[in-house]
């Protein structure tokens, strides 16, 4: 039964209370995004189709234990507040999560559910770093300590990859069909990368299992889009003041959403395309690249330059005309021109829609949040476009400014001399580079570019690229990020 407080006149309830569900989907990564995107899509699909066997069992394997407890206290039901650009909001009740699990130490309860007959899909939002891939090459980082642990502890692995391999091994042993692995992270070719990572992991554990996975398991690619900022005390308070009660599982997002899914599932899938914004296609790649370069690439430019300029949120950046001008220029002249789409695409309208979405005053999306894990995000958001622009002898001034901003940011000190809380799997290495070369900017830029987990050697050796990044880095160093953006805005 849904907690009574969530049955409320201001909440769109959508018809069922969750008790009739069985978990056809196991989701790993019960964070903000899953609740506002896949779990809501699934909720609305079940409400529309009555397919109660597509309930979700959502698990956290790294952190997020408190959220699981909070959700369990309200029978895993929670509200999704959609903030419209005009300031109005729609609050929806989501009840597709049939069960939630916190499996911090012992992964075996999760493995049991993943190998159950009823589980047909294992979906993931485990962040870019959760795939343990070298960001520049996409290869599994076999010497990553977590991977090394899993290769020794195949029955109680720590990583999502290890858990997937172990669960597939159990299904094979029991003669069960394999579930489909559905990556919903902002990773290019996310299905292909997840497949390569899982197969490489399996190869190191059990070659026969690896061959079975290669032959039988589907890893569809997806493009996922919905801006979902991490909840803050202010956003919880705002939801509470609107609803009149506290919802510890609440999430606040925009009205916009999109989900493009490669239609390749071995044990069926919900009819997600019954719901607005979701569609099944045969090839996701062009949509995914467009979104990664246009939306996420802009986000990262705004995150690094905006943070250094003292803007706490993306909507605050968008109140600065120079930031808007540089973002628009980046999208139209450094991202869109590098994309190849299967059909004519109106990039300029897409860019304007993104500017509208970024400007939504109802979304307090912190620049600090987006700046997180930059070593994993920079290659896929900017560097493919950079390579194309260099080959075509086109300017990449906005990308160079983004990279220069990233280098300042990960050095760990802001323009006022305050420390920056840099969250990144490579944080220590990045800081060491900055400290070693702090008095020689040109060397510092070269040393950052020499990090081959982020920049490939050919790019790092390209003199136009090095010159553009060095110039951007120095401008920020001498004039500050806000002025560096203004100077670029004047030139474009
Ligand atoms: P979040 O911080 O709320 O949740 C992160 C989730 O990832 C948690 O469930 C955590 O347990 C899990 N996680 C972290 N490191 C992990 C690891 N090494 N292995 C396994 N699980 C791990 O973040 P949020 O907003 O849910 O975003 C998660 C991912 O979803 C993003 O990294 C991105 O790839 C994707 N995404 C997010 C969007 C957003 O606007 N928030 C929109 C589109 C995609
Ligand atoms: C953001 C994305 O955190 C980030 O790095 O750029 O999570 C962004 O909000 C989503 O991709 C929007 O779909």
């Amino acid at each position: 039964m849904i907690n009574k407080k969530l049955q409320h006149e201001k909440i769109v309830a959508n018809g069922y209370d969750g008790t009739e569900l069985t978990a056809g989907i196991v989701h790993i990564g019960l964070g903000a995004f899953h609740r506002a995107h896949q779990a809501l899509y699934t909720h609305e699909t079940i409400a529309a189709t009555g397919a109660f066997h597509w309930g979700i069992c959502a698990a956290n394997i790294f952190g997020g234990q408190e959220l699981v407890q909070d959700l369990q206290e309200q029978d895993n039901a929670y509200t999704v507040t959609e903030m419209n650009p005009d300031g109005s909001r729609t609050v929806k009740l989501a009840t597709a999560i049939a069960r939630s699990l916190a499996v911090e130490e012992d992964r075996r309860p999760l493995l049991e559910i993943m190998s159950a007959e009823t589980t047909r899909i294992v979906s993931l939002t485990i962040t870019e770093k959760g795939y343990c891939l070298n960001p520049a090459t996409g290869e599994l980082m076999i010497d990553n300590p977590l991977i090394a642990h899993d290769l020794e502890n195949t029955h109680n692995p720590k990583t999502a990859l290890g858990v997937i391999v172990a669960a597939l091994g159990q299904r094979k042993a029991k003669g069960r069909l394999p579930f489909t692995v559905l990556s919903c992270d902002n990773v290019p070719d996310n299905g292909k990368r997840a497949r390569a990572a899982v197969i490489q992991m399996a190869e190191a554990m059990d070659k026969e299992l690896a061959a079975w996975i290669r032959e039988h398991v589907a890893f569809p690619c997806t493009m996922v889009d919905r801006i979902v900022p991490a909840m803050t005390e202010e956003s919880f308070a705002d939801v509470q003041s609107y609803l009149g009660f506290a919802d510890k599982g609440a999430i606040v997002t925009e009205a916009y959403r999109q989900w493009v899914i490669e239609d390749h599932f071995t044990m069926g899938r919900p009819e997600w395309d019954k719901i607005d914004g979701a569609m099944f296609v045969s090839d996701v790649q062009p949509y995914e690249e467009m979104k990664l370069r246009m939306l996420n690439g802009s986000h990262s430019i705004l995150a690094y330059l905006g943070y250094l300029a003292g803007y706490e949120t993306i909507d605050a950046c968008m109140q600065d005309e120079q930031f808007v001008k540089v973002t628009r220029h980046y999208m139209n002249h450094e991202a869109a021109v590098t994309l190849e789409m299967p059909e004519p695409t109106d990039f300029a309208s897409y860019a304007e829609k993104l500017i509208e979405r970024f400007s939504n005053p109802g979304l307090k999306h912190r620049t600090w949040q987006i700046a997180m894990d930059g070593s994993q995000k920079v290659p896929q958001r900017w560097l493919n476009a950079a390579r194309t622009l260099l080959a075509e002898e086109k300017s990449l001034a906005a990308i160079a400014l983004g990279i220069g901003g990233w280098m300042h940011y990960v050095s760990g000190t802001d323009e006022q001399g305050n420390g920056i809380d840099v969250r990144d799997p490579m944080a220590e290495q990045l800081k060491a580079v900055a400290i070693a070369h702090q008095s020689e900017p040109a060397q510092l830029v070269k040393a950052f570019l020499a990090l081959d987990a982020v920049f490939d050697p050919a790019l790092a050796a390209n003199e136009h690229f090095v010159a553009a990044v060095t110039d951007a880095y120095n401008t920020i160093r001498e004039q500050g990020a806000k002025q560096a953006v203004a100077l670029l805005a004047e030139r474009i």
Side-chain angles (χ1 to χ4, degrees):
M1 275 299 288
I2 300 176
N3 195 312
K4 283 253 175 331
K5 74 178 182 189
L6 292 173
Q7 297 170 341
H8 190 282
E9 60 185 23
K10 286 185 173 166
I11 302 176
V12 180
N14 240 342
Y16 67 94
D17 74 2
T19 43
E20 31 319 53
L21 294 173
T22 49
I25 300 173
V26 172
H27 181 80
I28 306 180
L30 173 50
F33 182 55
H34 177 67
R35 278 177 291 151
H37 192 268
Q38 307 96 56
L40 182 64
Y41 264 116
T42 305
H43 169 83
E44 292 178 7
T45 304
I46 295 170
T49 61
F52 293 112
H53 59 290
W54 285 120
I56 300 171
C57 169
N60 269 335
I61 62 173
F62 282 98
Q65 318 297 304
E66 214 178 303
L67 173 65
V68 170
Q69 248 173 29
D70 290 342
L71 282 170
Q72 285 173 348
E73 279 170 24
Q74 40 195 61
D75 304 317
N76 300 309
Y78 59 94
T79 57
V80 179
T81 297
E82 297 178 342
M83 294 294 205
N84 303 310
D86 67 1
S88 65
R89 63 178 79 189
T90 308
V91 185
K92 294 176 173 174
L93 180 66
T95 57
I97 300 183
R99 185 173 172 196
S100 56
L101 275 178
V103 274
E104 190 69 355
E105 293 300 329
D106 187 356
R107 307 280 197 251
R108 282 170 293 193
L110 175 60
L111 287 175
E112 199 177 307
I113 299 167
M114 288 169 75
S115 56
E117 190 101 59
T118 39
T119 300
R120 299 148 184 246
I121 292 175
V122 170
S123 57
L124 307 171
T125 49
I126 54 175
T127 79
E128 294 83 345
K129 63 187 172 299
Y131 294 84
C132 305
L133 298 170
N134 177 309
T137 62
E139 287 293 305
L140 183 68
M141 294 191 297
I142 211 90
D143 52 357
N144 174 316
L146 291 172
I147 298 286
H149 167 277
D150 286 4
L151 295 177
E152 294 294 316
N153 297 274
T154 49
H155 296 292
N156 192 17
K158 284 192 195 297
T159 65
L161 302 177
V163 168
I164 291 170
V165 173
L168 286 169
Q170 291 184 8
R171 294 183 83 95
K172 177 172 175 280
K174 287 177 184 159
R176 292 195 174 143
L177 285 172
F179 48 70
T180 295
V181 179
L182 185 67
S183 167
C184 297
D185 276 294
N186 282 329
V187 170
D189 282 334
N190 52 11
K192 288 190 188 133
R193 287 210 178 189
R195 179 175 190 270
V198 166
I199 290 176
Q200 282 178 71
M201 188 91 179
E203 287 278 0
M205 289 176 174
D206 173 348
K207 291 215 177 314
E208 213 185 297
L209 176 59
W212 185 80
I213 295 175
R214 190 176 278 116
E215 190 172 345
H216 298 289
V217 183
F219 292 83
C221 287
T222 62
M223 183 273 252
V224 286
D225 190 8
R226 179 165 240 194
I227 296 174
V228 191
M231 289 298 283
T232 59
E233 268 179 37
E234 292 77 29
S235 47
F236 276 117
D238 175 61
V239 171
Q240 179 162 359
S241 103
Y242 180 80
L243 292 177
F245 60 84
D247 170 8
K248 288 182 178 175
I251 196 77
V252 176
T253 183
E254 59 183 338
Y256 184 91
R257 58 179 165 173
Q258 202 183 4
W259 196 6
V260 186
I261 312 157
E262 182 186 341
D263 201 1
H264 182 204
F265 292 78
T266 46
M267 294 183 72
R269 40 90 174 153
E271 292 178 89
W272 285 308
D273 57 339
K274 294 254 185 275
I275 308 304
D276 268 6
M279 61 175 171
F280 290 102
V281 299
S282 57
D283 183 12
V284 173
Q285 209 253 353
Y287 301 95
E288 203 183 0
E289 271 306 308
M290 175 165 114
K291 189 246 167 179
L292 271 174
R293 294 189 200 181
M294 302 269 289
L295 188 161
N296 299 109
S298 301
H299 250 179
S300 290
I301 291 178
L302 293 167
Y304 297 116
L305 277 308
Y307 184 96
L308 295 168
Y311 295 133
E312 203 183 328
T313 59
I314 294 294
D315 75 306
C317 295
M318 301 316 281
Q319 284 164 33
D320 181 325
E321 273 174 35
Q322 318 297 348
F323 272 67
V324 175
K325 193 170 173 200
V326 166
T327 306
R328 183 179 280 122
H329 171 84
Y330 161 75
M331 288 197 252
N332 288 319
H333 301 284
E334 298 190 21
V337 291
T338 66
L339 292 164
E340 284 174 27
M341 303 300 290
E343 55 199 36
T345 303
D346 184 352
F347 292 116
S349 304
Y350 184 62
E352 290 315 307
K353 180 76 190 167
L354 289 176
I355 287 178
E356 184 191 311
R357 291 171 63 196
F358 294 161
S359 308
N360 187 335
L363 295 182
K364 296 300 169 201
H365 203 182
R366 292 171 72 195
T367 45
W368 175 81
Q369 185 190 352
I370 299 165
M372 210 180 283
D373 291 342
S375 66
Q376 316 288 304
K377 295 175 178 175
V378 163
Q380 64 207 35
R381 295 183 177 198
W382 295 331
L383 302 187
N384 288 335
R387 277 183 275 269
T388 306
L389 295 168
L390 287 165
E392 294 175 2
E393 298 185 9
K394 291 185 178 138
S395 159
L396 42 68
I399 293 179
L401 194 61
I403 296 174
W406 171 73
M407 289 174 179
H408 278 280
Y409 181 91
V410 297
S411 297
T413 310
D414 73 11
E415 292 177 2
Q416 287 68 46
N418 302 315
I420 302 175
D421 178 8
V422 178
R423 304 274 176 95
D424 193 297
M426 289 177 66
E428 279 177 29
Q429 206 180 340
L430 298 169
K431 191 152 195 177
V433 169
I435 290 171
H437 302 282
Q438 54 190 340
S439 53
E440 320 146 289
Q443 291 312 314
L444 181 142
V445 168
K446 282 211 168 98
F448 272 121
L449 295 180
L451 295 168
D452 62 8
V454 183
F455 301 96
D456 70 78
L459 197 56
N462 183 305
E463 61 186 51
H464 296 292
F465 183 66
V466 177
V469 175
T470 308
D471 183 50
Y473 180 85
N474 283 332
T475 309
I476 300 170
R477 185 179 170 118
E478 287 153 18
Q479 317 240 16
K482 191 165 158 39
Q483 182 61 9
V485 171
L487 287 171
L488 178 57
E490 251 172 49
R491 271 167 44 207
I492 52 184

